[in-house]
Amino acid sequence: MMNLYESGLFFDEMLDGNQPKPHYQSFYHKLHAFSKEQLDEKYQQAQSSFLRQGITFTVYGAQGGTERTMPFDFVPIIIPYEQWKVIEAGMKQRVKALNYFLHDVYHEQSIIEDGLIPRQLIENNPYYYKEMLGVQVPIDNHIFLAGIDLVRDENGIYYVLEDNLRNPSGMSYVFQNRYVMKEVYPEFFSKHTIQSLDKQMAFMKKALLAHRPRCMKPDVEPKAVLLTAGMYNSAYYDHVFLAQQLNIQLVEGHDLVVHENKVFMKTIYGLEQIDIIYRRIDDDFLDPAVFREDSLLGVPHIMAAYEAGNIAILNAVGNGVADDKAMYAYVPDMIRYYLKEEPILNNVKTYHLNDSSQQAWALEHIRELVIKNVSASGGYDMLIGPHASEEEIAKFKEKILDNPYQYIAQPTIKLSRAPAFQDGRFYPCHVDLRVYVMKGEDIYVLPGGLSRVALKEGSLVVNSSQGGGAKDTWILKEESQHAKPSSRCTILDGKI
């Protein structure tokens, strides 16, 4: 096998210097059994598998067609059990606090009254919907599915980078990455005892069905559907996969109708009442009678049925106020306020650019910072200071001065790296991890999640729409750990 590389100044998931870390040794030795030709062949086989199954995403505005197969890299991210236990606990804590926050801002508003979060930050937020004030959502749960993004710095410490609480996508890729790994690289699994994904869809289905509307009879099994924007949506493959795995109908807005504040699905046998909608369209398009009049994707008057307690909509309407990048800075305070606990996982230091002193400091140090639009996602409207041109910096300074509420700044983290094999060679790429948390009566954390990789050499942007790809994520079972985690990834005071 070809040589890899020296880990250098970055924290490397697999290597310490040029040697594998203890939990990667078995994988590393298996890797050495392959020739370059065998690896090239397997790489092509893996890409073909994704293409055959139609595993694609859409890049809006791309030249030469928008449909792309998800780039896949076969070197997995392996996380020892002890580290994962802390991540899992941190995920549950965070989602619990964020759900309390969402319930609070649409009901009692005690966190505002007590002065922990500025009122204008919530009320001026474009994703804070007055229509949700006082609405009782099933089991008081606003977050059915969260996708929380983690990064590691040069010391191997995990930080939460972002909370995705509206319509987090990508869960289907977690399962397909594992499927392709087992199909193309079965040799890697022979000596690893990895937490299985097999029962996770059963947990998701249980969490889904827990959201029975409050007006529903207790002895009736709820009927659920997945509402999609249709085949031209960037995450359509995700929608199809989840509907199939959850064994629920995939519907579009025109398949549903509201009658007497109840929602019905059109079938060849007539109208069938629906109780739970796992919707994968944005709030603005959900109900043309309440939100955007020009929406052809939603269902007229569905909000009236929602407010009447005859339908559950998951995730709840108005969740965007909690995953806004400006609100992110307050999540540790939410954990302390609602749960009376210290955060298990830290945030990245965040500067609010509407604060004049923080803004002045950030503009002076803009070359060391990452500037983000609080409403944007997918790596758009973002400046990475160390890599930006004078022209780009001038443009962003102007944007910040024109609309300071719209931007935050964060230090540039030396994101951890892992080996990738592309174009016949190994090279280091920056990675992050999206962890999926499902909440019903209980909270389930999908073991592993979606490891995203910036396949463009030197890039810090892992989003698939910006040239990123994905890796399989292995969580080792407790009994399979014959070695302690590397000393460079220690657990201190309950934090990683």
Side-chain angles (χ1 to χ4, degrees):
M1 192 201 83
M2 298 165 291
N3 291 327
L4 295 178
Y5 54 85
E6 285 272 351
S7 58
L9 297 173
F10 295 92
F11 180 88
D12 197 278
E13 299 287 341
M14 179 173 174
L15 299 173
D16 214 337
N18 60 2
Q19 292 302 308
K21 291 178 176 171
H23 58 286
Y24 264 98
Q25 279 178 354
S26 177
F27 175 85
Y28 184 82
H29 294 315
K30 287 277 183 190
L31 199 55
H32 271 272
F34 293 112
S35 65
K36 179 185 178 299
E37 291 69 31
Q38 287 173 311
L39 289 173
D40 281 334
E41 189 182 329
K42 283 178 176 286
Y43 171 81
Q44 293 302 332
Q45 192 183 341
Q47 304 310 318
S48 299
S49 179
F50 277 93
L51 193 59
R52 275 198 316 275
Q53 294 175 73
I55 304 171
T56 62
F57 64 95
T58 303
V59 180
Y60 294 119
Q63 292 183 338
T66 59
E67 283 296 306
R68 306 276 171 86
T69 55
M70 171 64 85
F72 174 72
D73 186 74
F74 76 84
V75 180
I77 298 298
I78 304 176
I79 302 176
Y81 175 77
E82 287 301 322
Q83 288 177 29
W84 180 250
K85 263 201 322 189
V86 181
I87 293 171
E88 190 176 45
M91 291 290 118
K92 289 181 177 182
Q93 180 194 56
R94 198 168 177 98
V95 168
K96 204 182 289 185
L98 283 162
N99 189 61
Y100 277 128
F101 169 73
L102 281 163
H103 181 82
D104 188 15
V105 294
Y106 288 115
H107 292 84
E108 298 82 10
Q109 301 194 340
S110 58
I111 200 165
I112 304 171
E113 300 297 333
D114 290 342
L116 262 79
I117 296 179
R119 182 176 291 276
Q120 74 271 17
L121 201 61
I122 290 168
E123 293 185 349
N124 294 342
N125 189 302
Y127 301 107
Y128 181 63
Y129 287 92
K130 301 284 195 296
E131 293 83 359
M132 284 299 292
L133 287 168
V135 174
Q136 293 292 332
V137 302
I139 62 172
D140 286 336
N141 185 43
H142 293 253
I143 306 166
F144 157 62
L145 180 66
I148 297 180
D149 296 341
L150 290 179
V151 294
R152 290 173 105 169
D153 68 3
E154 65 269 30
N155 300 310
I157 295 173
Y158 280 102
Y159 289 91
V160 176
L161 185 67
E162 199 169 281
D163 304 292
N164 297 283
L165 309 175
R166 285 171 267 180
N167 284 305
S169 62
M171 192 190 271
S172 59
Y173 301 132
V174 177
F175 290 86
Q176 293 299 353
N177 289 344
R178 180 65 52 86
Y179 171 78
V180 169
M181 278 293 281
K182 285 186 168 180
E183 180 185 52
V184 181
Y185 307 96
E187 304 89 343
F188 291 136
F189 289 86
S190 61
K191 286 193 175 178
H192 287 94
T193 315
I194 301 161
Q195 289 196 29
S196 170
L197 298 176
D198 292 350
K199 293 181 180 175
Q200 296 306 311
M201 278 299 157
F203 291 145
M204 192 174 183
K205 181 79 176 276
K206 184 182 176 186
L208 179 80
L209 297 182
H211 294 82
R212 49 190 313 121
R214 67 177 188 276
C215 293
M216 197 180 168
K217 292 176 183 173
D219 55 339
V220 179
E221 177 82 0
K223 173 80 177 175
V225 296
L226 192 153
L227 175 61
T228 177
M231 65 184 291
Y232 296 108
N233 183 265
S234 62
Y236 185 65
Y237 174 79
D238 212 39
H239 305 171
V240 173
F241 177 88
L242 290 172
Q244 287 175 341
Q245 296 298 313
L246 293 166
N247 194 24
I248 60 176
Q249 196 83 28
L250 184 70
V251 299
E252 294 182 31
H254 56 76
D255 297 318
L256 303 177
V257 63
V258 176
H259 180 62
E260 294 181 350
N261 281 351
K262 292 176 182 173
V263 182
F264 296 87
M265 177 172 64
K266 300 168 189 173
T267 77
I268 56 171
Y269 305 106
L271 296 179
E272 182 180 2
Q273 188 171 347
I274 299 303
D275 307 299
I276 299 169
I277 297 175
Y278 172 25
R279 54 71 179 254
R280 293 297 297 267
I281 66 174
D282 292 340
D283 291 347
D284 280 349
F285 297 94
L286 198 55
D287 186 342
V290 176
F291 304 124
R292 284 184 56 155
E293 291 178 17
D294 61 344
S295 172
L296 301 175
L297 304 177
V299 186
H301 310 294
I302 197 170
M303 283 299 291
Y306 188 40
E307 289 166 26
N310 292 321
I311 189 76
I313 298 175
L314 315 177
N315 281 341
V317 176
N319 277 14
V321 69
D323 72 2
D324 178 282
K325 290 180 177 69
M327 202 60 68
Y328 156 92
Y330 292 94
V331 177
D333 293 326
M334 293 177 200
I335 291 169
R336 296 182 188 102
Y337 181 76
Y338 294 115
L339 305 181
K340 308 292 186 281
E341 298 170 1
E342 279 302 308
I344 294 168
L345 296 169
N346 288 323
N347 270 19
V348 175
K349 173 76 176 162
T350 302
Y351 301 94
H352 283 281
L353 301 184
N354 58 300
D355 178 294
S356 56
S357 62
Q358 292 186 44
Q359 183 193 103
W361 185 90
L363 289 174
E364 194 180 327
H365 295 84
I366 196 165
R367 282 214 162 275
E368 305 157 30
L369 300 170
V370 176
I371 311 295
K372 295 178 181 177
N373 184 322
V374 297
S375 305
S377 60
Y380 292 102
D381 201 16
M382 181 169 82
L383 177 88
I384 299 174
H387 298 175
S389 66
E390 289 299 334
E391 187 185 349
E392 287 168 330
I393 283 175
K395 182 181 169 187
F396 260 82
K397 280 185 174 180
E398 202 174 305
K399 283 183 175 185
I400 291 164
L401 292 168
D402 286 348
N403 199 353
Y405 276 96
Q406 200 59 38
Y407 293 92
I408 57 158
Q410 293 174 332
T412 309
I413 293 178
K414 284 184 178 170
L415 289 182
S416 65
R417 303 193 305 189
F421 181 82
Q422 305 282 310
D423 301 321
R425 67 188 184 98
F426 286 99
Y427 61 98
C429 290
H430 294 292
V431 290
D432 80 357
L433 174 64
R434 174 166 291 182
V435 181
Y436 293 94
V437 185
M438 301 165 272
K439 188 174 185 303
E441 297 287 0
D442 304 304
I443 303 180
Y444 307 98
V445 181
L446 190 79
L450 184 65
S451 285
R452 302 183 301 176
V453 51
L455 288 172
K456 186 178 172 186
E457 201 161 356
S459 172
L460 293 169
V461 183
V462 298
N463 305 78
S464 52
S465 55
Q466 306 278 311
K471 291 171 171 283
D472 195 8
T473 313
W474 296 358
I475 307 303
L476 298 181
K477 285 191 176 177
E478 190 172 12
E479 66 272 16
S480 72
Q481 289 192 232
H482 306 300
K484 292 181 181 177
S486 166
S487 60
R488 289 179 64 194
C489 184
T490 52
I491 298 176
L492 300 170
D493 300 325
K495 295 187 178 69
I496 299 182

